[in-house]
């Protein structure tokens, strides 16, 4: 009887594993096809000139940088929070430009907003405004902005202004050292120190979900980086090309795949503490986002493991 029960249990487990494999394979195929389709949609709107422009990875590689720094700001329904963030950003950059030969550009990428995000951004004459006809997700918006950028360094920063923009000086100081060593880099602003010191006030559920997310990220994808999700990252131009040309995820978990790619390519990934404050008005649902990001983390690792996704050598000057 014991042998029969053990055999039935093994058969039951085997059936579950087969079912999971079938479901997982279907998900890989469906999402992989979806991202291939999205990757082809590179026609976007130059909101200031009111015309369609073509933006893709070849734009970034083909054009030489003409400014020192590009700031890429993805924005989705940010008409209320964007003005304060742009005021702080432009004030800081203009002050730097007056002191030395600092050159920059600011790009706001509207991710198919239904409010007046585009109109608000257009009120700033020095800001380039790119509008996506449909919502692509934060990762998709950032990628379009990266490919349209003209800077030798590229900063990705959130539209909510949660990170103190003057902390850019910390990231650029580290970038100077890495460039002297001839290295490409991704420098991540980090809120990990705020978690330790309990400075950032969070709801209990969000904190619980955050710690679970960090565990999965570290276990499956990105090693040695405590905060992958902070929306304040500085890239060398070549690192930006290498990472975003191979990127598939376009929504909240895109940072994880981005850093996974960077580490696979032996690009230096550095984490530096920044000042950060939680800003009201977030459109992120903690539970829904946690489920989606948790699924994406598992699938990122699985897709690369089974070869459904590969880091293309043609999309980078480095080897896979």
């Amino acid at each position: 009887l014991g042998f029969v029960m053990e055999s039935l249990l093994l058969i039951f487990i085997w059936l579950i594993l087969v079912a999971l494999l079938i479901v997982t394979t279907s998900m890989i195929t469906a999402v992989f096809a979806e991202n291939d389709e999205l990757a082809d949609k590179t026609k976007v709107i130059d909101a200031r000139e009111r015309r369609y422009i073509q933006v893709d990875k070849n734009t970034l590689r083909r054009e030489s940088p003409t400014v020192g720094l590009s700031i890429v700001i993805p924005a989705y329904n940010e008409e209320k929070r964007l003005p304060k963030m742009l005021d702080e950003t432009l004030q800081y950059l203009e002050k730097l430009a007056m002191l030395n030969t600092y050159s920059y550009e600011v790009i706001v990428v509207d991710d198919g907003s239904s409010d007046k995000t585009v109109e608000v951004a257009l009120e700033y004459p020095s800001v380039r405004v790119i509008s996506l006809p449909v919502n692509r997700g934060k990762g998709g918006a950032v990628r379009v902005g990266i490919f349209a950028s003209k800077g030798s360094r590229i900063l990705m920063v959130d539209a909510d202004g949660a990170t103190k923009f003057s902390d850019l000086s910390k990231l650029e100081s580290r970038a100077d050292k890495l460039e002297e060593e001839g290295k490409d880099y991704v420098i991540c602003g980090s809120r990990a120190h705020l978690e330790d010191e309990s400075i950032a006030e969070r709801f209990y559920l969000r904190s619980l979900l955050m710690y679970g997310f960090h565990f999965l990220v570290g276990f499956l994808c990105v090693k040695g980086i405590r905060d992958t999700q902070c929306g304040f990252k500085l890239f060398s131009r070549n690192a930006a090309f290498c990472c975003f040309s191979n990127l598939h995820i376009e929504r909240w978990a895109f940072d994880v795949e981005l850093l996974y790619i960077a580490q696979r390519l032996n690009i230096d990934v550095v984490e530096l503490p920044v000042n950060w404050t939680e800003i009201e008005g977030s459109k992120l649902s903690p539970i829904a986002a946690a489920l989606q990001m948790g699924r994406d983390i598992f699938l990122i690792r699985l897709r690369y493991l089974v070869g459904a996704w590969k880091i293309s050598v043609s999309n980078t000057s480095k080897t896979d």
Side-chain angles (χ1 to χ4, degrees), residues 110-121:
D110 167 58
D111 190 18
S113 298
S114 58
D115 65 356
K116 296 183 179 180
T117 295
V118 172
E119 289 85 344
V120 167

Side-chain angles (χ1 to χ4, degrees), residues 15-173:
L15 290 173
I16 291 177
L17 290 175
V18 170
L20 286 174
L21 181 61
I22 293 172
V23 171
T24 301
T25 304
S26 299
M27 292 175 69
I28 291 173
T29 304
V31 179
F32 189 47
E34 176 187 357
N35 278 282
D36 278 346
E37 180 183 354
L38 289 172
D40 291 335
K41 297 178 180 178
T42 55
K43 185 174 286 189
V44 297
I45 301 170
D46 184 320
R48 196 172 296 281
E49 297 185 8
R50 296 185 179 182
R51 64 184 179 89
Y52 281 96
I53 58 175
Q54 195 78 11
V55 176
D56 56 35
K57 63 187 179 185
N58 295 319
T59 308
L60 186 67
R61 168 152 284 186
R62 182 173 60 246
E63 298 183 3
S64 299
T66 57
V67 296
L69 176 69
S70 294
I71 296 94
V72 175
I73 307 169
Y76 177 66
N77 290 342
E78 292 287 0
E79 64 175 358
K80 294 182 179 179
R81 299 192 295 182
L82 186 60
K84 183 178 179 181
M85 184 272 173
L86 284 177
D87 288 340
E88 179 187 352
T89 299
L90 292 171
Q91 182 179 5
Y92 177 82
L93 293 171
E94 288 166 4
K95 187 180 295 184
L96 280 182
M98 290 176 62
L99 294 175
N100 51 44
T101 57
Y102 198 88
S103 60
Y104 64 88
E105 66 172 349
V106 177
I107 305 172
V108 172
V109 183
D110 167 58
D111 190 18
S113 298
S114 58
D115 65 356
K116 296 183 179 180
T117 295
V118 172
E119 289 85 344
V120 167
L122 287 173
E123 292 176 4
Y124 296 82
S126 62
V127 173
R128 292 176 64 192
V129 184
I130 295 173
S131 183
L132 303 184
V134 295
N135 178 264
R136 292 270 294 267
K138 181 181 175 182
V142 172
R143 177 161 56 181
V144 167
I146 293 286
F147 289 163
S149 66
K150 301 176 181 179
S152 57
R153 294 174 177 173
I154 306 170
L155 178 73
M156 177 192 86
V157 56
D158 285 347
D160 59 5
T163 304
K164 189 175 181 181
F165 194 82
S166 58
D167 281 350
L168 170 63
S169 61
K170 300 179 184 178
L171 277 61
E172 290 208 293
S173 293

Side-chain angles (χ1 to χ4, degrees), residues 159-195:
D160 59 5
T163 304
K164 189 175 181 181
F165 194 82
S166 58
D167 281 350
L168 170 63
S169 61
K170 300 179 184 178
L171 277 61
E172 290 208 293
S173 293
R174 180 61 65 87
D176 290 339
K177 295 178 181 178
L178 291 168
E179 288 177 3
E180 288 175 2
E181 298 171 7
K183 296 180 178 179
D184 285 317
Y185 52 81
V186 181
I187 305 176
C188 308
S190 174
R191 303 159 295 183
H193 64 295
L194 299 178
E195 297 166 15

Side-chain angles (χ1 to χ4, degrees), residues 198-209:
S198 300
I199 295 176
E201 296 182 0
R202 289 177 171 271
F203 293 110
Y204 175 76
L205 178 59
R206 291 191 69 175
S207 296
L208 184 64
L209 293 172

